[in-house]
Amino acid sequence: MRKMLTTTIPAASPVQAPSASAAGPRAQPEAIVIGSGFGGLAAAVRLGARGYRVTVLEKLDAPGGRAYVHRQDGFTFDAGPTVITAPFLFEELWALCGRRMADDVDLRPVAPFYRIRFDDGTTFDYSGDEQAMRAEVARLAPDDVRGYENFLKASEAIYKVGFEQLGHVPFDHWSDMARALPQLVKLEGYRTVYSLASKHVRDERLRVVLTFQSLLVGGNPFATTSVYCLIAFLERRWGVHFAMGGTGSLVRGLVSLIEGQGGCVRCQQPVAEITVHDGRATGVRLADGRTLRADVVVSNADSAWTYRHLIAPEHRRRWTNRRIEKARYSMSLFVWYFGTRRQYPEVAHHTIALGPRYRPLLTDIFERKHLAEDFSLYLHRPTATDPSLAPQGCDAFYVLSPVPHLQSGTDWQRQAEPYRLAIQQRLQATLLPDLERQIVTSRMLTPQDFQDRLSSFHGAAFGLEPVLMQSAWFRPHNRSEDIDRLYLVGAGTHPGAGLPGVLSSARILDTVVPHADSLALRHAN
């Protein structure tokens, strides 16, 4: 498979899809997917199931996008998403191909979902166990047990509307937003995540416990619409899972589905331009100048990057350069991957290590765009569930710190190592004793890498910030407003970031992309 994934397109120019006249009256329509993140791979599977011959073009040397896999010194590091919820969205993709995901991917439940460590050393185990959660809340904030239960009821109500009813529905027209608005108002979608949590519970620590998840999808809980409170019930309903072998095993499984449909994933094929004729996407021009034609084009690249860098300005009426520049973008991330020669069995699979500040730190990140000296961290220890990801007796980790995107002006070439060292010292003092002497391998990912390597506008790790006026209809649409036969999937479009969000964005294609049979008939006529 590795050889196939890195096969390059033959050096003929231009490269064109077969026309109806060349391949017969029912030539199979062609689809090109730009980017092989989870949104792009899911889109490719769904398009293949709808009769398209699909080519996925990936800039990097292996598929996955933000879910790229790094292997070094015997350790396996998942570069990006590690919290897997709503596994049925993956299972649907296998079912579309007449296969069972369980035959290819071994998903294991993680318990607790997260261990939250407060700055004073107090911990809170966040899980899907109703009785255990009630006990944890009672231990932390005994006066807030009923309020917590009311918050969870509100989360369930939001989930049923925001996820089940609207999560896979395209918001093509303002009327779609108008129809949804009364329900969203009733559910207090005008509040922020933090505001809704504060309505129900008083203890400041519990408010943090109920709101930090929005950071995992790029949102500031003090600014993000409370619709994202649905995450609490989503996790309760479906659990938090980990794929044995790492998240990359899901990527490999999806690639095998695409190949089984007759499609292909071509790596080291950066796209320079989406070609447009008479207002319709006609294919792509690669960075080396070659051209691929297609009946439909789907971009899994960052939505702002897609419009700003892949489509000429004369083809854009809504997503102009000015509008893209003025939009608000999510924070970025500093990620440090490291392996240790010893194990830390007392450290949970997922740990949220909070710093001394919560709201002021988020103000620094999102509003002031200032790289603060303190930080709150997400520590991932996958070897807690799958020891095979490290050599025997060792542990694999990554630690993630939310930081401002590149509009902060931070010089990450100079700042990366001092920042990494500060994180190392913090972890050594709190969770990982003797860490400095135990590290055997290390690598970093900075906001500059998000821009240069992953083509994220301003290096924002999650695309557009999920505030109310950049959600649903206000977000770049799944069916491009500017260009016919161009579609967008991934974190930067509706419904938003996170694995359930990007998989749901691909699910929307079933509604907005014409079936291949209808295009084949048009070719024939």
Side-chain angles (χ1 to χ4, degrees):
M1 179 183 293
R2 178 71 176 179
K3 183 177 180 181
M4 189 288 303
L5 292 176
T6 56
T7 298
T8 57
I9 299 171
S13 179
V15 182
Q16 299 181 355
S19 66
S21 58
R26 295 296 298 274
Q28 187 178 14
E30 301 271 346
I32 286 176
V33 177
I34 303 169
S36 66
F38 278 119
L41 295 175
V45 171
R46 290 187 175 276
L47 291 170
R50 291 169 62 78
Y52 288 90
R53 183 165 58 189
V54 184
T55 299
V56 181
L57 301 172
E58 170 56 50
K59 172 185 175 182
L60 302 179
D61 63 350
R66 284 165 175 72
Y68 189 90
V69 178
H70 299 288
R71 294 181 177 88
Q72 63 183 46
D73 302 325
F75 293 81
T76 298
F77 300 109
D78 287 321
T82 56
V83 178
I84 299 171
T85 55
F88 73 91
L89 290 172
F90 282 108
E91 290 165 354
E92 279 185 3
L93 300 173
W94 264 260
L96 286 172
C97 300
R99 292 165 58 177
R100 294 174 65 249
M101 185 177 78
D103 292 336
D104 298 325
V105 180
D106 180 7
L107 277 187
R108 301 281 180 90
V110 175
F113 295 166
Y114 316 97
R115 177 165 293 150
I116 295 114
R117 184 193 185 278
F118 295 94
D119 190 51
D120 64 1
T122 303
T123 61
F124 184 102
D125 278 2
Y126 192 110
S127 73
D129 185 297
E130 184 177 343
Q131 295 302 323
M133 278 295 287
R134 186 178 289 111
E136 283 291 271
V137 171
R139 181 176 62 83
L140 187 73
D143 294 337
D144 277 331
V145 173
R146 180 172 293 179
Y148 160 73
E149 292 173 343
N150 289 336
F151 172 82
L152 198 61
K153 289 178 182 176
S155 172
E156 181 178 4
I158 295 170
Y159 168 88
K160 288 180 176 178
V161 174
F163 188 80
E164 290 187 343
Q165 295 182 27
L166 303 178
H168 58 280
V169 173
F171 279 77
D172 275 347
H173 306 288
W174 67 266
S175 56
D176 299 325
M177 191 73 177
R179 281 193 295 270
L181 198 57
Q183 288 177 295
L184 295 176
V185 170
K186 183 179 179 181
L187 295 169
E188 300 183 280
Y190 52 84
R191 287 182 180 269
T192 65
V193 167
Y194 188 85
S195 171
L196 188 63
S198 298
K199 174 187 175 182
H200 295 289
V201 302
R202 295 183 179 181
D203 188 273
E204 185 59 33
R205 294 171 300 175
L206 187 56
R207 289 174 174 176
V208 174
V209 166
L210 299 180
T211 59
F212 78 87
Q213 291 97 327
S214 61
L215 288 163
L216 301 180
V217 295
N220 178 356
F222 295 94
T224 296
T225 168
S226 63
V227 170
Y228 281 85
C229 286
L230 66 81
I231 295 173
F233 185 78
L234 175 75
E235 292 176 337
R236 166 69 66 87
R237 172 70 178 83
W238 298 103
V240 169
H241 301 80
F242 183 72
M244 300 299 284
T247 312
S249 64
L250 282 164
V251 173
R252 292 190 295 275
L254 291 171
V255 170
S256 74
L257 295 183
I258 295 165
E259 294 171 358
Q261 294 173 318
C264 64
V265 179
R266 293 179 171 176
C267 296
Q268 295 181 303
Q269 300 295 325
V271 171
E273 181 184 8
I274 296 170
T275 56
V276 180
H277 181 70
D278 289 339
R280 180 170 73 83
T282 58
V284 300
R285 179 175 59 81
L286 301 177
D288 63 10
R290 290 175 291 157
T291 300
L292 284 166
R293 290 186 181 175
D295 297 280
V296 301
V297 176
V298 177
S299 180
N300 181 220
D302 174 62
S303 59
W305 188 276
T306 296
Y307 280 118
R308 182 65 177 83
H309 294 291
L310 300 185
I311 301 170
E314 61 265 26
H315 302 306
R316 294 185 271 121
R317 300 180 305 277
R318 177 168 178 141
W319 292 101
T320 62
N321 292 352
R322 184 172 181 272
R323 179 169 186 166
I324 293 166
E325 294 287 350
K326 288 182 64 178
R328 292 174 55 172
Y329 293 90
S330 77
M331 83 286 198
S332 192
L333 302 172
F334 177 91
V335 192
W336 175 34
Y337 310 89
F338 61 96
T340 58
R341 60 171 50 90
R342 58 157 286 192
Q343 294 178 327
Y344 291 85
E346 66 280 7
V347 176
H349 188 124
H350 301 292
T351 299
I352 307 298
L354 296 164
R357 304 184 302 154
Y358 188 55
R359 184 168 192 160
L361 175 61
L362 296 177
T363 299
D364 279 344
I365 294 169
F366 284 90
E367 297 178 23
R368 295 182 61 209
K369 312 248 181 337
H370 166 68
L371 183 65
E373 294 183 0
D374 61 316
F375 27 66
S376 288
L377 305 171
Y378 161 56
L379 180 65
H380 181 228
R381 179 179 169 250
T383 38
T385 301
D386 186 354
S388 73
L389 299 174
Q392 187 173 2
C394 300
D395 261 339
F397 291 92
Y398 89 48
V399 61
L400 175 158
S401 178
V403 295
H405 57 61
L406 291 177
Q407 284 187 314
S408 68
T410 303
D411 182 351
W412 282 104
Q413 189 170 356
R414 297 181 59 184
Q415 283 292 127
E417 178 55 21
Y419 197 76
R420 185 207 64 78
L421 184 59
I423 290 175
Q424 174 185 298
Q425 292 169 344
R426 174 72 175 177
L427 291 174
Q428 181 164 286
T430 55
L431 291 164
L432 305 176
D434 198 34
L435 176 58
E436 181 178 6
R437 295 198 305 124
Q438 300 302 324
I439 296 169
V440 293
T441 191
S442 174
R443 68 182 305 135
M444 293 178 282
L445 181 73
T446 75
Q448 195 67 49
D449 295 313
F450 274 96
Q451 175 178 276
D452 299 345
R453 178 179 170 82
L454 298 172
S455 300
S456 298
F457 196 68
H458 291 320
F462 303 91
L464 291 168
E465 187 180 353
V467 293
L468 183 61
M469 296 304 292
Q470 292 188 164
S471 298
W473 181 77
F474 299 106
R475 220 164 170 76
H477 295 180
N478 305 95
R479 173 165 41 199
S480 173
E481 308 97 302
D482 290 331
I483 299 164
D484 189 27
R485 304 271 186 91
L486 172 64
Y487 305 91
L488 279 70
V489 296
T493 185
H494 174 67
L499 282 180
V502 301
L503 294 176
S504 293
S505 73
R507 203 181 189 195
I508 291 171
L509 298 186
D510 291 351
T511 303
V512 298
V513 177
H515 197 283
D517 285 348
S518 67
L519 291 187
L521 287 172
R522 291 183 199 179
H523 284 319
N525 294 328

